[in-house]
Amino acid sequence: MTDLALAVVDAHHHCYATDLPGAPSMEPYSPADLAADARTAGVDLVGSVHVEAGRPPELSVPETRRWQLESVTAPHRVVLVAAVQLEKRGLPARLAELQQSAGVVGVRQMLDWHGGLKQASPLLRDGQWRRGLATLAGRALSFDLQVLPAQLPEAAALVGEFPEVEFVLNHGGLHIPWQQADLGRWAADLQVLAKWPNVAVKTSGFDTVDPAWDSGRVSGYLRTLLDCFGPDRTLFASNFPIDRATIGYHALVAHHLDVLAGYSAAERSNVFRGNASRIYRIEGVTGV
């Protein structure tokens, strides 16, 4: 585990606290807890990206402020991706309020949920939502793109129509059980999406695809992401503490190192930290 003296930016994790309004039924988990999990893998966690934890969007400001305050004393650099509803009136004021918290570098609106169910949202085709999306470029905010595999063609068209917005595809665009997925179609659609230079991909979320973490399937998953996006637009990400229920940080890093064995040291370090530090503008962290 020491071929890079491994320094990592974890591009996708969540934090939970019982003192937040509307807190989900999760054990508390902080940036310090993530750093401790990384240490078990012999990893020096130099930065991380807290992604909004699925609370109602009206609670986005309290959640963001809570973790911005926590980030001040965290053992590594922490930046924040906040929840938004891009189609709602008053969006500029809400974005301005979120950006009052230092470290807010992006936003997310999960498009693989609709009506409280895991299903495709119609917002990708909504004019008001798309106008809201366009405003992100002027605010230097990236958009975390979370879609179902069946939505990837629509996502590719969207990314191409908004070249000034930086998109980061969550969970490899494959966030359903593998038995339910057409893996050939998923890979082909990823290739089309990856043609656009303003989109990158995170390796997180495999727990949903295969909770047993079959080594062959996870290697195939990671290789597909790297084949499509290359080592300069693929971001190591854990989805902890959610995926922590079925895999340790040591095994997670080992999977990535195995698949990256044929890449150069510079390419590996880009996947593990350089790409995330560039896209999410994490100060003081470099790729090599």
Side-chain angles (χ1 to χ4, degrees), residues 94-144:
R94 175 50 60 94
L95 293 176
E97 189 175 19
L98 288 169
Q99 288 189 288
Q100 288 176 6
S101 294
V104 173
V105 295
V107 295
R108 180 172 80 157
Q109 186 170 6
M110 290 187 285
L111 301 170
D112 58 345
W113 287 90
H114 180 62
L117 299 174
K118 185 80 165 176
Q119 60 185 2
S121 167
L123 285 172
L124 282 166
R125 300 180 296 278
D126 182 86
Q128 182 65 26
W129 183 87
R130 293 164 73 90
R131 286 188 288 274
L133 178 68
T135 68
L136 299 182
R139 292 183 171 274
L141 291 170
S142 59
F143 184 73
D144 263 44

Side-chain angles (χ1 to χ4, degrees), residues 7-62:
V8 161
V9 172
D10 190 329
H12 195 110
H13 70 90
H14 303 289
C15 293
Y16 300 98
T18 56
D19 61 339
L20 278 170
S25 56
M26 295 285 292
E27 291 292 322
Y29 195 79
S30 71
D33 294 319
L34 180 70
D37 281 331
R39 282 196 298 273
T40 68
V43 163
D44 177 19
L45 189 70
V46 295
S48 72
V49 182
H50 162 69
V51 179
E52 61 89 14
R55 293 190 180 86
E58 63 269 18
L59 301 177
S60 179
V61 171

Side-chain angles (χ1 to χ4, degrees), residues 8 19 22 25 64 87 97 127 142-143 159 210 216 221 239 252-253 262 266 277 284:
V8 161
D19 61 339
S25 56
T64 300
E87 76 281 13
E97 189 175 19
S142 59
F143 184 73
V159 166
D210 181 7
Y221 168 74
N239 200 35
L252 182 66
V253 171
S277 67

Side-chain angles (χ1 to χ4, degrees), residues 53-104:
R55 293 190 180 86
E58 63 269 18
L59 301 177
S60 179
V61 171
E63 178 186 38
T64 300
R65 288 177 176 166
R66 170 69 169 76
W67 296 115
Q68 189 275 323
L69 290 173
E70 186 91 8
S71 71
V72 174
T73 57
H76 58 272
R77 290 278 293 128
V78 182
V79 295
L80 310 167
V81 171
V84 293
Q85 289 179 298
L86 294 175
E87 76 281 13
K88 296 295 185 182
R89 292 182 179 179
L91 177 66
R94 175 50 60 94
L95 293 176
E97 189 175 19
L98 288 169
Q99 288 189 288
Q100 288 176 6
S101 294
V104 173

Side-chain angles (χ1 to χ4, degrees), residues 206-226:
F206 196 78
D207 176 82
T208 295
V209 181
D210 181 7
W213 288 86
D214 177 275
S215 60
R217 279 194 288 272
V218 71
S219 294
Y221 168 74
L222 293 174
R223 288 194 178 98
T224 297
L225 300 184
L226 284 160

Side-chain angles (χ1 to χ4, degrees), residues 149 152 169 171-174 178 181-195 200-203 206 209 215-235 255-256 258-260 263 271:
L152 287 172
L169 180 64
H171 308 324
L174 182 67
W178 68 271
D182 180 338
L183 297 179
R185 173 49 51 194
W186 164 72
D189 288 341
L190 271 188
Q191 286 281 7
V192 175
L193 175 61
K195 290 179 180 178
V201 67
K202 301 183 194 184
T203 62
F206 196 78
V209 181
S215 60
R217 279 194 288 272
V218 71
S219 294
Y221 168 74
L222 293 174
R223 288 194 178 98
T224 297
L225 300 184
L226 284 160
D227 288 345
C228 291
F229 289 89
D232 293 330
R233 288 188 291 146
T234 301
L235 285 63
H255 279 303
H256 285 74
D258 287 346
V259 171
L260 288 165
Y263 289 79
V271 172

